[in-house]
Amino acid sequence: MRKTLLYLLIFCYAPLLIQAQQPKKLNASEIYESIQKLNFLGSVLYVGAHPDDENTRLISYLSNEIKARTAYLSMTRGDGGQNLIGPEIRELLGVIRTEELLGARHIDGGEQLFTRANDFGYSKNPDETLSIWDKDKVLSDVVLAIRKFKPDVIINRFDHRTPGTTHGHHTSSAMLSVKAFDLANKQSAFPEQLNQTSLWQPQRLFFNTSWWFYGSQEKFDKADKTNLMTINTGTYFPSKGLSNSEIAALSRSSHKTQGFGSTGSRGEETEYLELLKGDLPTDKSNIFDGIDTSWNRVKGGKPIGNILNKVESDYDFNNPSASIPELVKAYQLIQKLDDEHWRTLKSKAIKNIIAACAGLYLEAVANTNQATPNSSVPLTIEAINRSNTNIALESLNINNHLVSKHITLKNNQDKTIKDTLLISKNQEPTTPYWLMHKGTLGMYRVDNPVLIGLPETPPAAAVEFNLLIDNVPVTISKPVVYKTNDPVKGEVYKPFVIIPEVSAKVAEKVIIFNTDEQKEIPVIVKAGKDKVEGYVSIAHPKGWSVYPEKQTISIVHKGEEQTLVFTIIPPKNENEGLITPMIHIGDSIYTKELDEIDYDHIPFQTVLLPSESKVVRLDIQKKGDNIAYIEGAGDVVPESLKQIGYNVVTISPKDINAETLSRFDAVVVGVRAYNTVEDLKYKQQVLFDFVKQGGNMIVQYNTNSRLKVDDLAPYDLSLSRDRVTDEHAEVTFLNPNNPLLNYPNKITQKDFEGWTQERGLYFPDKWSDNFTPILSMHDKGETPKDGSLLVAKYGKGYYIYTGLSFFREFPEGVSGAYRLFANMLSIGKDNIKVTTKLKN
């Protein structure tokens, strides 16, 4: 029972989990649409693998036209993708992409769910995927999502019958959905879930097919469509001034890290659904045909439906508050329903509608966005009723602290209340719940089963407003937030979060020692409260030395930082390990770093992760000093090259000219630069001329679509979708005597040990005879891929194209990746003269 109540509490907070966005204030048209949704008792669960897999046209149509409760279940948070807007990868990228999905649902009207599966990178088949994911746990999570959400209809984005034709995660999502469809109503399947939810049997399962899955439009036109439903999703919504496709495009454009900006369209749009399980509706344009979606489906629901149908038909767009008396009657009847699922959902919905009809604005604002355990925070609480409805604020429940008020909220009279939020000394710091504990390559670890599936960690604190509306008790909960005024942006919200007393960060996540010389490493300590005193020591691997052993910290004000410099002395021989700052405050030791993610398109994010950096004693040689770097889609290659002693200067496309380039030994083009940097199409010949004059040019991977340049290389070169996803795949040296494998570092098979996530991606599959392929590799059961590293002499210099995933290996401190890249920069430089280092 206690677990059930805990689930319901978090479930009620679900709408609040899109934290720190400005509160949504519904206009009269939006209130009316909410009433229409209140009168529809049907649900659809759309299932895919990653953020951006979902069909936003269909989700928007089901939510906005059909008025169905619609959710997208994404197996992963997209942690293994690329980031086109910043340097965050892996866990931090997953946090951003989670928020992007929530932003998309905020636009298209859907809800968002997840499993615990970790996006470990591209997978070519479901066997590999399900061997890295914990198949039973992910299946359990899909069953749990069905049991909690209770969809009448499930729609798969991908085809479970075609393994190997698309991303292994894609096919796996469909396979798990098909299996979960039958298991969700079986008592023997994951019985422990029944402590917080109940059995459920969806009625229909579809596959959202299209011509793409048939190979061509021509093949699709000829296919038997007997088992297919056809839905026109091109609806126009006059109240919104937008077509469904335009809403879907806005939703799709939320996926900014993946570069999925979309232009809206108008007119008819057809979606096809192939029935996989259940009965095919007689009306092949209505997925709910034959399913009772009225209030009659719930015992005791008929009188509620009668009231709410009248509310809908009599709704006054000029005076929404006129609906409140009938809405309050319906609210009272909903509280008496035996059906816990619909009682919980519809109670939450109707309370929001009543508040919107009254223009009721409730808010609890902290005077800071961060607090520590065992502290108190001043609150400013606002309540205003902008209608003639009889509303009184009886009391406030501030984090389980009840405060009586008995305030009558008269029309348009703002009531401001000052109070205090008490933070328990046992309060856990706020961080994405799936990152609280170390998981595995394929799975996040979540110890609290109630949190599984939620998009975000529940708010750190909330205030319950206990109201009397037309003399009927109604409680509305609001998260505590922080807001400020920005002179440019105006009112800006941030989530209110709990942070540790102190945190520490080593700026560099990988520290390379290419000799046995010591390095000074700054450790930044940040106070989460006033008057922090203690000391810092460094945990380090055996064979390494740190001086001094500990240093004292004394920080007066919250938010201030103190930088301590430690000397790290590496061993003589190659070695690697982790260093961790350990902050000693009284009897407590703190080992976390506080990462903050601040982009305009998502709410401000605070993430606590283990504070650790990899230290690598690396035997590496290099030639040349000055490297020009042309940024692409966000990677850490420039910082990584600086680690091994190169002077790296980032140059913008406008600065690419013969005079500027003449100061450099090599030019490195960043990840996906030719997909994202428009101006590079005007600079290719300048770069090729630099090579002709004796420079080296290294181009890292690009995708084979949406290229901004006509010629990637001075010779013919064509990209494919070839990739090697097994990071342990055997590497064959095609040209073992080539300088890239010998100078100035001898490359061996050992240099390809310890690679992470993949070998590489989007390899060329066709190239001029002027190129020499250096390496061959392939995934199990596939033909050799020889295009991962190509080099060509051009004039006096060398042009190199590589799809090897250096952008993933450098952040992990993979020694062999550094050594090979140093050889790429050094080719042809065996007689180079030492040049003066440029100022960055």
Side-chain angles (χ1 to χ4, degrees):
M1 180 64 182
R2 189 172 181 274
K3 289 185 178 179
T4 300
L5 290 173
L6 181 59
Y7 163 66
L8 288 174
L9 179 64
I10 291 179
F11 187 88
C12 291
Y13 279 150
L16 311 180
L17 296 183
I18 303 177
Q19 295 181 18
Q21 293 177 329
Q22 289 192 359
K24 187 171 177 61
K25 308 176 186 86
L26 300 182
N27 60 39
S29 293
E30 290 169 328
I31 294 172
Y32 179 69
E33 290 170 8
S34 296
I35 293 170
Q36 290 179 307
K37 280 197 170 188
L38 190 63
N39 272 330
F40 192 95
L41 280 70
S43 304
V44 183
L45 183 65
Y46 197 92
V47 180
H50 311 102
D52 70 48
D53 282 346
E54 78 275 23
N55 184 338
T56 55
R57 291 187 303 274
L58 197 52
I59 290 174
S60 176
Y61 174 83
L62 292 168
S63 177
N64 294 300
E65 173 65 11
I66 304 301
K67 310 301 181 187
R69 182 176 180 234
T70 309
Y72 174 47
L73 172 62
S74 178
M75 297 292 128
T76 75
R77 297 176 184 267
D79 327 73
Q82 286 83 50
N83 185 356
L84 296 185
I85 64 171
E88 297 88 358
I89 58 174
R90 293 302 306 148
E91 292 89 351
L92 294 182
L93 177 58
V95 173
I96 297 173
R97 296 191 73 187
T98 294
E99 294 301 322
E100 289 179 335
L101 263 181
L102 286 168
R105 299 295 78 79
H106 190 69
I107 292 167
D108 60 35
E111 299 176 35
Q112 187 58 52
L113 303 171
F114 291 95
T115 76
R116 288 170 289 175
N118 191 343
D119 179 5
F120 57 84
Y122 195 89
S123 175
K124 291 183 176 178
N125 62 74
D127 289 340
E128 179 193 41
T129 296
L130 296 174
S131 67
I132 296 175
W133 290 352
D134 186 320
K135 180 181 177 180
D136 288 340
K137 286 183 179 178
V138 182
L139 177 60
S140 165
D141 291 355
V142 179
V143 169
L144 182 62
I146 294 171
R147 286 173 172 173
K148 282 185 175 181
F149 192 76
K150 302 193 183 308
D152 300 297
V153 177
I154 297 176
I155 302 174
N156 289 346
R157 184 68 181 106
F158 301 103
D159 191 348
H160 68 289
R161 300 159 296 192
T162 56
T165 60
T166 182
H167 197 319
H169 296 180
H170 292 170
T171 310
S172 295
S173 72
M175 293 169 65
L176 293 169
S177 175
V178 170
K179 194 162 187 177
F181 181 91
D182 295 323
L183 292 178
N185 201 37
K186 290 188 176 180
Q187 187 87 24
S188 59
F190 312 110
E192 71 282 354
Q193 295 178 359
L194 301 179
N195 292 325
Q196 57 171 301
T197 186
S198 58
L199 301 176
W200 183 253
Q201 182 57 62
Q203 298 197 37
R204 292 170 185 144
L205 175 65
F206 294 98
F207 161 46
N208 184 193
T209 190
S210 70
W211 69 263
W212 188 88
F213 290 97
Y214 285 75
S216 70
Q217 184 68 52
E218 182 181 5
K219 290 181 180 179
F220 183 63
D221 291 341
K222 295 178 181 178
D224 179 11
K225 298 184 179 63
T226 305
N227 209 33
L228 265 60
M229 295 188 65
T230 304
I231 301 174
N232 177 12
T233 61
T235 306
Y236 173 68
F237 301 107
S239 63
K240 302 176 186 294
L242 294 169
S243 69
N244 185 69
S245 299
E246 287 172 317
I247 295 171
L250 292 171
S251 174
R252 184 75 170 164
S253 297
S254 297
H255 298 294
K256 298 188 187 305
T257 51
Q258 303 304 292
F260 282 154
S262 179
T263 301
S265 61
R266 289 143 293 280
E268 292 187 355
E269 292 270 1
T270 303
E271 292 291 338
Y272 298 93
L273 300 178
E274 178 187 353
L275 184 70
L276 300 177
K277 287 179 179 288
D279 60 303
L280 187 66
T282 303
D283 179 358
K284 289 190 177 182
S285 65
N286 178 13
I287 63 172
F288 287 101
D289 184 41
I291 298 173
D292 188 355
T293 58
S294 73
W295 277 98
N296 293 331
R297 78 179 292 173
V298 181
K299 182 183 177 181
K302 186 175 181 179
I304 299 171
N306 291 338
I307 294 173
L308 293 178
N309 286 328
K310 189 172 186 303
V311 169
E312 184 177 336
S313 62
D314 294 348
Y315 181 73
D316 185 349
F317 285 83
N318 293 315
N319 182 22
S321 64
S323 299
I324 291 177
E326 293 301 302
L327 286 168
V328 170
K329 290 179 184 177
Y331 170 76
Q332 290 177 290
L333 291 176
I334 290 172
Q335 306 317 298
K336 299 175 181 178
L337 292 176
D338 293 332
D339 190 311
E340 184 180 62
H341 175 70
W342 287 113
R343 184 179 70 243
T344 303
L345 284 177
K346 295 305 183 179
S347 292
K348 175 182 62 178
I350 200 169
K351 285 193 291 186
N352 290 336
I353 292 169
I354 292 169
C357 286
L360 183 62
Y361 187 85
L362 306 172
E363 188 171 66
V365 179
N367 73 339
T368 177
N369 70 309
Q370 297 177 339
T372 55
N374 199 30
S375 65
S376 60
V377 179
L379 289 182
T380 299
I381 298 169
E382 181 182 3
I384 182 169
N385 166 25
R386 290 170 288 190
S387 73
N388 289 317
T389 303
N390 179 22
I391 301 178
L393 174 60
E394 289 297 290
S395 63
L396 297 169
N397 190 340
I398 306 173
N399 255 21
N400 298 318
H401 174 60
L402 192 65
V403 181
S404 296
K405 288 299 174 187
H406 308 294
I407 299 172
T408 299
L409 300 179
K410 296 181 180 179
N411 187 1
N412 214 31
Q413 292 185 11
D414 196 5
K415 297 294 183 182
T416 300
I417 301 164
K418 300 291 185 179
D419 215 304
T420 302
L421 173 67
L422 302 177
I423 310 297
S424 164
K425 65 179 181 180
N426 299 318
Q427 177 77 42
E428 289 284 344
T430 308
T431 196
Y433 69 85
W434 61 96
L435 298 178
M436 290 179 68
H437 305 286
K438 188 174 180 61
T440 64
L441 174 64
M443 294 295 295
Y444 283 118
R445 174 184 159 191
V446 181
D447 289 348
N448 184 350
V450 177
L451 295 175
I452 294 172
L454 292 181
E456 294 183 289
T457 302
V463 172
E464 290 182 344
F465 294 78
N466 298 315
L467 306 161
L468 285 178
I469 301 178
D470 275 352
N471 295 314
V472 173
V474 176
T475 297
I476 297 177
S477 183
K478 295 289 182 179
V480 173
V481 296
Y482 172 74
K483 70 178 179 181
T484 186
N485 185 71
D486 183 275
V488 176
K489 299 176 182 177
E491 192 174 55
V492 175
Y493 281 74
K494 284 186 177 181
F496 173 76
V497 298
I498 307 301
I499 61 173
E501 287 185 293
V502 67
S503 58
K505 178 183 289 189
V506 179
E508 299 292 343
K509 290 301 157 193
V510 176
I511 305 168
I512 303 295
F513 294 77
N514 56 345
T515 69
D516 60 3
E517 293 183 5
Q518 65 190 33
K519 285 189 177 184
E520 292 187 339
I521 306 300
V523 175
I524 303 168
V525 180
K526 186 173 183 177
K529 67 173 189 176
D530 293 339
K531 298 179 181 178
V532 171
E533 293 188 350
Y535 69 91
V536 178
S537 62
I538 303 286
H540 56 84
K542 185 177 180 181
W544 296 71
S545 300
V546 175
Y547 178 82
E549 289 187 5
K550 62 181 181 180
Q551 295 190 57
T552 300
I553 56 167
S554 180
I555 306 176
V556 177
H557 299 296
K558 170 185 174 180
E560 287 187 344
E561 296 178 344
Q562 182 176 343
T563 300
L564 308 174
V565 178
F566 288 86
T567 300
I568 309 293
I569 305 169
K572 295 290 184 182
N573 300 318
E574 289 193 352
N575 192 287
E576 62 182 48
L578 296 174
I579 60 170
T580 298
M582 302 179 69
I583 312 169
H584 302 254
I585 307 292
D587 295 331
S588 300
I589 299 176
Y590 298 89
T591 60
K592 294 290 183 73
E593 72 173 52
L594 192 67
D595 288 297
E596 296 178 336
I597 303 174
D598 191 7
Y599 288 101
D600 286 342
H601 71 296
I602 63 172
F604 189 88
Q605 297 296 301
T606 301
V607 184
L608 279 172
L609 291 173
S611 181
E612 57 187 25
S613 293
K614 188 174 184 178
V615 288
V616 181
R617 169 66 176 96
L618 176 61
D619 182 14
I620 188 171
Q621 304 296 320
K622 67 182 185 64
K623 294 293 181 180
D625 285 311
N626 298 321
I627 309 299
Y629 197 88
I630 301 170
E631 288 186 323
D635 60 59
V636 297
V637 172
E639 293 78 8
S640 300
L641 296 179
K642 290 176 184 177
Q643 286 270 5
I644 56 175
Y646 283 105
N647 182 48
V648 184
V649 178
T650 299
I651 61 174
S652 66
K654 66 181 178 61
D655 295 326
I656 297 175
N657 56 59
E659 181 181 354
T660 299
L661 295 181
S662 66
R663 296 179 287 166
F664 296 100
D665 302 309
V667 172
V668 179
V669 182
V671 169
R672 294 186 68 178
Y674 290 132
N675 296 126
T676 59
V677 184
E678 190 80 28
D679 290 346
L680 283 179
K681 63 184 174 184
Y682 308 115
K683 299 294 183 177
Q684 278 296 80
Q685 192 55 53
V686 180
L687 293 167
F688 295 159
D689 289 343
F690 164 74
V691 179
K692 186 180 289 186
Q693 296 303 315
N696 288 348
M697 180 177 177
I698 299 172
V699 178
Q700 298 177 86
Y701 103 95
N702 291 270
T703 64
N704 62 346
S705 61
R706 300 183 182 179
L707 287 168
K708 306 293 185 183
V709 298
D710 295 326
D711 298 311
L712 273 175
Y715 305 116
D716 290 341
L717 181 72
S718 297
L719 301 182
S720 71
R721 297 182 64 85
D722 289 348
R723 62 200 302 161
V724 176
T725 61
D726 181 0
E727 63 267 41
H728 307 295
E730 182 181 354
V731 178
T732 301
F733 295 171
L734 297 175
N735 284 275
N737 296 322
N738 190 277
L740 289 185
L741 298 176
N742 293 279
Y743 181 82
N745 303 288
K746 179 68 175 177
I747 302 301
T748 68
Q749 290 295 330
K750 184 179 178 181
D751 290 297
F752 291 94
E753 295 176 1
W755 283 52
T756 183
Q757 189 159 325
E758 60 200 347
R759 289 294 190 196
L761 61 171
Y762 289 96
F763 297 160
D765 61 348
K766 297 177 183 177
W767 52 83
S768 163
D769 290 341
N770 298 92
F771 282 103
T772 299
I774 304 300
L775 305 172
S776 180
M777 58 192 73
H778 61 87
D779 284 322
K780 184 179 179 180
E782 295 191 357
T783 58
K785 305 295 185 286
D786 297 346
S788 64
L789 180 58
L790 304 172
V791 58
K793 190 81 163 65
Y794 182 66
K796 299 177 182 178
Y798 290 86
Y799 175 96
I800 297 172
Y801 189 92
T802 180
L804 293 172
S805 58
F806 291 103
F807 72 102
R808 295 203 187 280
E809 311 317 318
F810 285 169
E812 298 297 325
V814 178
S815 301
Y818 281 92
R819 287 161 47 82
L820 180 56
F821 210 97
N823 282 12
M824 290 157 57
L825 291 168
S826 301
I827 190 170
K829 309 295 184 186
D830 47 326
N831 295 317
I832 194 170
K833 296 179 180 178
V834 176
T835 58
T836 303
K837 283 195 174 184
L838 298 172
K839 291 183 179 180
N840 194 348

